[in-house]
């Protein structure tokens, strides 16, 4: 009866792609497709330009060797060649350019190098036992600023001279004793009574003054107590140094036992803490070298810095709308203009607010520019759902910054004039700017966007003044773009639904022709006609239009069986026209279709690529709309595709495993069986950064955790369940399924089994484990 009412709600089914499966396919075997790259081929990865803009470097393995190797291809050529180890030793690493792009400073193996682009030669600047990193040029190109031993140094290029700019160190710099009133009285009494003590004290003071007078001109020590620091930056005028300070929280880490260890003994390794643990706290420090003073940035002027999250009032009836103390934050930056104006990104650690503000370096005060508030959590492309990312932010000129915001519900590119407080939207519409990079001449933005449709991502140009996106790439699919340092040529990884990633070169202009560089797939892979899944939308029970990929058998071969695949990560897109990160699953789905199954792969609520409302549709209830989208997908299969309602299975890994458990526990009878791989069973035992965004914390929002965790609903299991988990998974830990197993045992459940993989982490590695796992899954579905 429940299924009947769901069927009545289905309508408005729109087919976006109607490609039909090809025929004359060779037979697929699970043992073959689960070989991964050994079967598909090793695709080009880690693509980067040589700083001379004439050569692209990438890792590849066309010969199926034990390890990948470094390859290169010249800009005007199309045939790649391997790079010898001898040449690799002298290759520059990615680094920072000077203002006219004639020199590049880079760090390699802990030392600093300077690469002359015209001469195609590198010069080693340091050869020390400490580790130098993060080099950058000063605005006048006369110095290279870098970090060593957590302090800033300057290499003066013309004088060949090294200068230490800061001297930050832990501790108090003096006696750790803090005398009380009694001790102070005794100290003063001793000085009053004894001449010898007064004499020696005078000698010590005079000797210290003499040492200070004779000391070379070096930075004074700044003692930071027990705090750690990182991210040192020097302002363009060399006056101010900023850094991030961290006070470590006391937390208890989880432990992961390794049962199969080379020593023959049990090896227990530390792993992450659990959600809700005490969090590190952060500040931004400013050192004024001119005044020799150190202070921290104040966030008290930021709008909403004291605000409590909305759910505290809406769900728990909290009558106080504000905290007594300001919310804990994390500051990113500063990002400096050429003349030294500074802007920072401030992220609330509860990730419900992101501020962009101008920083007055001389006072440590902030002037708010933009506030992005989200009662769920701040995120989106170019913004990031994680607190430890600045996102898109830069300067167009001395008055104007650019950044991305989800103010309209989709991530778009904005400019803001700091002097007039005028904000301008450069892009708009029901699509997302995936990334934005400003050209060297500051006249053009280079953009990746899904403006054509959510299922494709293309490369565009956009004038900094705004206007229409100028499409550069053409063929449907996805493009991962590396722009040459001279910005004349693009190195692209391109793929389509049934075509894996390959490397191409292209002129950086609309209408340029793609020149293919690599041919990576194996003959075994090429011998099979891989399907292009249909992209459809079906109507959910709440009226939402849900995107999905549909794999159909040829007419006459269907068995009325179907499998729904649930992708992992939650915030990930798997309905698209490019080669899936779930490529083993994609090949398995082809195998299922060969055996008469229909497969549906859904971008449920919480998935990436569809804007803010879709992204946050799971807030405070994982296993809510993300699960109902799967249940409505099953109803769609029955109504629109003719699938037997008694012969639908479901499976997925990680978040997909979690949804599989929730489906079988809370909607019995919808699915005949399910396979839950590396699945979260209780969100209170997962990590903090991911979980606290969506469910807050167990202490603050216990309702959200109870309604979202499968372990609380295990009594609902009626259908067949296969659980599969790696025993050395340090992400979703093996303890998750052990706890669920005990719960199922105590409930007297019979229709379940657990398969363990002793040497596998969260993402399986060994082909033998992949093969064993998917043989079990295939057998489960064959039994429907």
């Amino acid at each position: 009866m429940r299924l009947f009412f769901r069927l009545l709600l289905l309508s408005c089914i729109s087919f976006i792609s109607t490609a039909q499966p090809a025929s004359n396919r060779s037979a697929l075997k699970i043992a073959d497709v689960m070989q991964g790259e050994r079967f598909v081929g090793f695709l080009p990865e880690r693509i980067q330009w040589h700083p001379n803009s004439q050569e692209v470097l990438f890792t590849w393995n066309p010969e199926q060797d034990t390890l990948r190797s470094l390859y290169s291809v010249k800009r005007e050529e199309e045939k790649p060649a391997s790079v010898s180890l001898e040449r690799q030793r002298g290759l520059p690493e990615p680094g920072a350019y000077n203002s006219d792009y004639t020199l590049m400073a880079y760090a390699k193996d802990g030392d600093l190098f300077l690469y002359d682009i015209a001469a195609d030669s590198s010069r080693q600047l340091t050869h020390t036992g400490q580790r130098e990193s993060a080099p950058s040029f000063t605005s006048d190109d006369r110095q290279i600023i870098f970090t060593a031993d957590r302090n800033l140094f300057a290499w003066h290029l013309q004088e060949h001279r090294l200068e230490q700019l800061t001297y930050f160190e832990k501790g108090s710099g003096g006696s750790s004793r803090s005398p009380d009133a009694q001790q102070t009285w005794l100290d003063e009494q001793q000085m009053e009574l004894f001449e010898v003590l007064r004499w020696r004290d005078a000698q010590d003071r005079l000797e210290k003054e003499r040492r200070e007078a004779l000391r070379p001109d070096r930075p004074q020590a700044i003692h930071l107590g027990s705090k750690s620091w990182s991210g040192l930056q020097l302002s363009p005028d060399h006056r101010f140094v900023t850094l991030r300070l961290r006070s470590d929280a006391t937390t208890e880490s989880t432990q992961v036992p390794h049962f199969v260890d080379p020593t023959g003994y049990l090896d227990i390794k530390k792993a992450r803490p659990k959600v809700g643990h005490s969090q590190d706290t952060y500040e931004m420090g400013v050192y004024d070298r001119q005044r020799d003073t150190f202070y921290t940035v104040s966030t008290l002027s930021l709008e909403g810095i004291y605000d409590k999250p909305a759910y505290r009032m809406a769900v728990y009836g909290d009558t106080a709308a504000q905290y007594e103390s300001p919310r804990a934050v994390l500051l990113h930056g500063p990002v400096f203009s050429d003349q030294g104006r500074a802007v920072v990104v401030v992220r609330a650690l509860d990730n419900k607010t992101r501020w962009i503000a101008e920083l007055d370096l001389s006072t440590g005060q902030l002037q708010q520019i933009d506030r992005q508030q989200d009662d769920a959590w701040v995120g989106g492309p170019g913004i990031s759902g994680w607190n430890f990312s600045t996102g898109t932010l830069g300067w167009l000129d001395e008055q104007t910054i650019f950044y991305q915001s989800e103010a309209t519900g989709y991530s778009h590119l904005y400019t803001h004039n700091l002097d007039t407080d005028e904000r301008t939207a450069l892009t708009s519409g029901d699509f997302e700017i995936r990334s934005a990079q400003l050209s060297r001449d500051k006249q053009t933005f280079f953009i990746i966007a899904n403006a054509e449709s959510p299922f494709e991502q293309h490369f565009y140009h956009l004038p900094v003044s705004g206007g229409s996106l100028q499409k550069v790439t053409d063929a449907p699919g996805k493009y991962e773009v590396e722009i040459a340092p001279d910005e004349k040529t693009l190195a692209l990884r391109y793929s389509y639904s049934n075509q894996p990633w390959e490397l191409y070169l292209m002129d950086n202009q609309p209408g340029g022709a793609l020149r293919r560089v690599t041919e990576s797939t194996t003959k075994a892979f090429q011998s099979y006609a891989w399907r292009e899944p249909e992209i459809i939308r079906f109507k959910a029970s709440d009226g939402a239009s849900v995107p999905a990929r549909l794999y159909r058998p040829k007419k006459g071969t269907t068995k009325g069986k179907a499998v729904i695949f649930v992708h992992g990560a939650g915030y990930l897109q798997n309905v698209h026209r490019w080669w899936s990160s779930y490529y083993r699953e994609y090949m398995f789905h082809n195998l299922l279709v060969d055996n008469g199954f229909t497969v549906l792969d859904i971008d449920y609520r919480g998935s990436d690529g569809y804007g803010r409302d879709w992204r946050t549709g799971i807030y405070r209830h994982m296993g809510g709309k993300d699960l109902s989208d799967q249940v409505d997908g099953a109803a769609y299969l029955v109504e629109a595709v003719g699938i037997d309602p008694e012969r639908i299975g479901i499976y997925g890994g990680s978040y997909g495993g979690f949804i599989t458990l929730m489906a079988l526990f809370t909607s019995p009878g919808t699915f005949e069986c399910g396979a839950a791989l590396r699945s979260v069973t209780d969100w209170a035992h997962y990590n903090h950064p991911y979980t606290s965004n969506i469910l807050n914390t167990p202490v603050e929002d216990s309702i959200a955790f109870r309604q979202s965790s499968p372990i609380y609903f295990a009594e609902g299991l009626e259908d067949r369940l296969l659980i599969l988990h790696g025993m050395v998974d340090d992400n979703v830990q093996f303890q998750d399924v052990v706890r669920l197993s005990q719960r199922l045992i105590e409930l007297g459940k019979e229709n379940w089994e657990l398969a363990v993989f002793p040497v596998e982490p969260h993402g399986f590695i060994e082909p033998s484990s992949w093969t064993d796992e998917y043989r079990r899954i295939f057998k489960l579905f064959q039994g429907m």
Side-chain angles (χ1 to χ4, degrees):
M1 181 62 69
R2 182 176 64 251
L3 180 61
F4 172 75
F5 282 111
R6 284 200 306 270
L7 297 179
L8 291 179
L9 293 171
L10 289 169
S11 61
C12 301
I13 301 165
S14 60
F15 288 87
I16 300 175
S17 173
T18 57
Q20 295 299 314
S23 57
N24 301 321
R25 292 180 169 85
S26 60
L28 289 177
K29 297 179 181 179
I30 291 177
D32 290 334
V33 299
M34 293 303 153
Q35 294 294 311
E37 292 177 313
R38 291 278 173 197
F39 177 75
V40 175
F42 288 81
L43 311 181
E45 294 180 352
R46 297 178 59 188
I47 296 161
Q48 66 183 58
W49 280 93
H50 193 285
N52 63 18
S53 297
Q54 301 302 311
E55 182 181 11
V56 177
L57 302 164
F58 60 99
T59 63
W60 200 30
N61 188 8
E63 305 300 325
Q64 299 265 330
D65 292 332
T66 305
L67 295 174
R68 285 177 167 269
S69 298
L70 186 66
Y71 280 75
S72 73
V73 61
K74 301 291 185 182
R75 181 154 81 173
E76 300 303 325
E77 298 177 357
E78 296 180 6
K79 186 175 181 181
S82 61
V83 180
S84 68
L85 290 176
E86 181 179 1
R87 185 176 177 230
Q88 288 183 46
R89 293 189 191 98
L91 282 174
E93 298 286 340
Y97 293 90
N98 64 351
S99 57
D100 63 1
Y101 280 70
T102 57
L103 299 173
M104 186 187 76
Y106 64 96
K108 188 172 185 177
D109 299 325
D111 287 310
L112 293 185
F113 295 79
L114 184 65
Y115 176 73
D116 186 312
I117 293 174
D120 190 23
S121 63
S122 289
R123 176 163 60 96
Q124 188 166 353
L125 301 181
T126 65
H127 196 286
T128 68
Q130 65 184 1
R131 188 171 189 85
E132 291 95 22
S133 62
S136 63
F137 285 89
T138 55
S139 57
D140 60 8
D141 291 335
R142 297 171 63 88
Q143 300 172 41
I144 296 174
I145 308 301
F146 63 94
T147 301
D149 195 25
R150 295 191 297 171
N151 276 286
L152 279 186
F153 293 78
W155 178 263
H156 296 257
L157 289 167
Q158 294 182 348
E159 298 94 335
H160 303 284
R161 176 172 61 88
L162 184 65
E163 177 187 4
Q164 184 168 350
L165 302 179
T166 66
Y167 184 18
F168 297 115
E169 64 176 4
K170 281 198 170 185
S172 62
S175 172
S176 59
R177 184 175 64 124
S178 299
D180 55 19
Q182 170 67 14
Q183 186 60 55
T184 300
W185 187 92
L186 291 173
D187 291 345
E188 293 173 351
Q189 184 198 43
Q190 292 294 89
M191 287 297 178
E192 177 186 351
L193 293 176
F194 299 107
E195 173 66 22
V196 65
L197 294 182
R198 293 195 297 273
W199 177 260
R200 290 177 180 177
D201 182 64
Q203 284 182 316
D204 289 343
R205 284 188 286 105
L206 289 173
E207 181 64 27
K208 182 178 180 181
E209 290 174 3
R210 183 178 297 174
R211 286 197 307 268
E212 287 296 318
L214 296 174
R215 188 178 71 89
D217 185 15
R218 292 174 180 161
Q220 292 284 351
I222 304 294
H223 297 96
L224 300 176
S226 61
K227 297 174 182 177
S228 301
W229 64 96
S230 61
L232 282 76
Q233 291 198 69
L234 181 67
S235 63
D237 62 4
H238 300 193
R239 175 177 169 180
F240 300 100
V241 175
T242 62
L243 67 159
R244 178 184 293 158
L245 300 168
R246 186 184 79 235
S247 298
D248 295 333
T250 301
T251 60
E252 182 177 355
S253 295
T254 55
Q255 295 179 319
V256 176
H258 290 237
F259 291 89
V260 182
D261 185 78
T263 66
Y265 289 87
L266 183 67
D267 183 17
I268 299 179
K269 298 184 184 295
K270 280 191 174 182
R272 56 164 175 79
K274 297 186 179 185
V275 59
H277 67 83
S278 299
Q279 297 296 297
D280 299 340
T281 56
Y282 300 88
E283 301 169 281
M284 178 173 282
V286 181
Y287 173 48
D288 186 335
R289 299 175 68 222
Q290 179 177 302
R291 293 184 295 165
D292 192 24
T293 57
F294 183 83
Y295 40 93
T296 57
V297 174
S298 172
T299 61
L300 299 183
S301 64
L302 297 175
E303 179 188 357
I305 191 65
Y306 290 91
D307 289 356
K308 288 184 178 179
Y311 79 88
R312 291 300 311 168
M313 291 158 276
V315 179
Y316 293 96
D318 198 333
T319 57
Q322 292 189 324
Y323 296 109
E324 293 183 0
S325 301
R327 283 188 285 164
V329 299
L330 178 66
L331 290 95
H332 294 276
V335 177
F336 292 107
S337 71
D338 291 341
Q339 300 302 316
R341 296 183 76 171
V343 291
V344 296
V345 169
V346 186
R347 301 286 300 245
L349 288 186
D350 64 14
N351 205 10
K352 298 187 186 300
T353 316
R354 180 204 69 173
W355 298 269
I356 298 174
E358 183 170 14
L359 169 62
D360 185 336
L361 291 163
S362 64
T363 65
Q365 298 299 309
L366 296 174
Q367 179 64 45
Q368 182 173 308
I369 299 168
D370 179 76
R371 178 190 182 210
Q372 181 172 327
Q373 175 70 29
D374 200 310
D375 289 339
W377 72 96
V378 171
I383 304 158
S384 176
W386 310 104
N387 286 321
F388 288 85
S389 174
T390 305
T392 299
L393 180 65
W395 290 86
L396 284 182
D397 52 44
E398 287 302 314
Q399 295 79 38
T400 311
I401 64 169
F402 63 89
Y403 59 93
Q404 287 182 241
S405 170
E406 274 191 330
T408 65
Y410 292 86
S411 182
H412 282 291
L413 186 62
Y414 295 83
T415 60
H416 197 115
N417 187 301
L418 275 58
D419 294 344
T420 65
D421 198 30
E422 179 182 0
R423 184 176 76 168
T424 303
L426 299 185
T427 61
S428 62
D430 292 350
F431 65 91
E432 295 181 322
I433 302 298
R434 304 295 301 181
S435 65
Q437 175 184 334
L438 186 62
S439 63
R440 283 167 46 178
D441 63 9
K442 296 189 176 183
Q443 297 302 306
T444 304
F445 283 108
F446 300 132
I447 285 175
I448 298 287
N450 59 5
E452 302 293 311
S453 84
F455 315 119
E456 297 179 22
Q457 292 184 18
H458 286 275
F459 181 69
Y460 299 86
H461 291 176
L462 177 70
V464 296
S465 57
S468 300
L469 289 169
Q470 301 169 5
K471 189 177 176 185
V472 176
T473 54
D474 184 51
K478 181 178 178 178
Y479 299 82
E480 297 175 350
V481 181
E482 293 293 329
I483 306 170
D486 65 7
E487 298 182 348
K488 295 179 181 179
T489 314
L490 308 175
L492 312 99
R493 273 210 336 159
Y494 166 73
S495 73
Y496 189 62
S497 304
N498 55 2
Q499 300 168 17
W501 297 100
E502 298 288 2
L503 175 62
Y504 295 79
L505 295 177
M506 178 184 179
D507 292 339
N508 187 11
Q509 60 185 17
L514 283 175
R515 307 191 302 275
R516 183 167 178 168
V517 172
T518 59
E519 180 72 45
S520 305
T521 54
T522 66
K523 290 183 179 179
F525 178 85
Q526 294 169 7
S527 68
Y528 184 86
W530 300 98
R531 292 171 174 84
E532 177 187 346
E534 301 173 37
I535 295 183
I536 65 157
R537 287 185 183 267
F538 63 86
K539 194 167 186 178
S541 52
D542 66 351
S545 179
V546 182
R549 299 206 298 185
L550 181 65
Y551 301 72
R552 297 183 193 237
K554 290 177 60 178
K555 290 183 178 180
T557 65
T558 181
K559 298 180 180 178
K561 297 182 180 181
V563 170
I564 291 181
F565 170 66
V566 190
H567 69 69
Y571 189 61
L572 178 145
Q573 184 176 5
N574 204 44
V575 177
H576 49 61
R577 293 191 178 100
W578 61 84
W579 187 245
S580 177
S581 57
Y582 287 96
Y583 70 95
R584 286 185 180 87
E585 290 79 355
Y586 164 79
M587 294 189 292
F588 180 61
H589 297 162
N590 276 265
L591 184 149
L592 286 174
V593 175
D594 287 346
N595 285 271
F597 288 81
T598 298
V599 180
L600 190 67
D601 171 5
I602 301 171
D603 268 351
Y604 49 87
R605 246 66 70 91
S607 296
D608 184 14
Y610 308 95
R612 182 265 171 195
D613 290 349
W614 205 262
R615 174 178 68 81
T616 62
I618 57 174
Y619 178 56
R620 296 194 65 251
H621 193 185
M622 292 192 277
K625 291 181 179 179
D626 47 358
L627 173 59
S628 65
D629 286 343
Q630 317 299 326
V631 174
D632 292 334
Y636 160 78
L637 287 171
V638 174
E639 172 68 15
V641 186
I643 298 300
D644 184 343
E646 305 298 326
R647 306 179 82 186
I648 303 175
I650 186 171
Y651 89 105
S654 194
Y655 199 98
F658 150 73
I659 287 292
T660 298
L661 293 176
M662 288 294 273
L664 268 61
F665 292 173
T666 67
S667 187
T670 301
F671 301 98
E672 198 277 337
C673 61
L677 295 68
R678 50 194 177 276
S679 48
V680 177
T681 68
D682 185 347
W683 288 106
H685 292 259
Y686 196 51
N687 69 33
H688 185 87
Y690 179 88
T691 315
S692 63
N693 275 352
I694 306 172
L695 300 180
N696 304 306
T697 67
V699 171
E700 295 174 327
D701 199 356
S702 60
I703 294 173
F705 279 81
R706 286 191 69 93
Q707 68 185 5
S708 300
S709 296
I711 200 165
Y712 290 106
F713 302 96
E715 68 274 9
L717 178 63
E718 297 177 4
D719 308 301
R720 294 184 299 136
L721 170 62
L722 171 62
I723 304 172
L724 310 105
H725 214 105
M727 295 181 72
V728 293
D729 190 336
D730 59 2
N731 182 4
V732 181
Q733 295 170 2
F734 186 57
Q735 182 190 22
D736 263 51
V737 293
V738 172
R739 294 176 71 247
L740 179 63
S741 296
Q742 180 60 28
R743 181 79 176 128
L744 292 170
I745 290 168
E746 292 181 6
L747 290 168
K749 297 298 179 179
E750 298 179 354
N751 294 330
W752 68 280
E753 59 181 290
L754 170 64
V756 300
F757 299 85
V759 300
E760 294 299 345
H762 191 62
F764 280 22
I765 297 173
E766 301 301 327
S768 57
S769 299
W770 280 102
T771 300
D772 184 88
E773 180 181 47
Y774 273 81
R775 279 176 177 161
R776 294 172 186 268
I777 296 169
F778 186 49
K779 183 178 180 181
L780 177 76
F781 293 148
Q782 282 182 311
M784 291 194 299

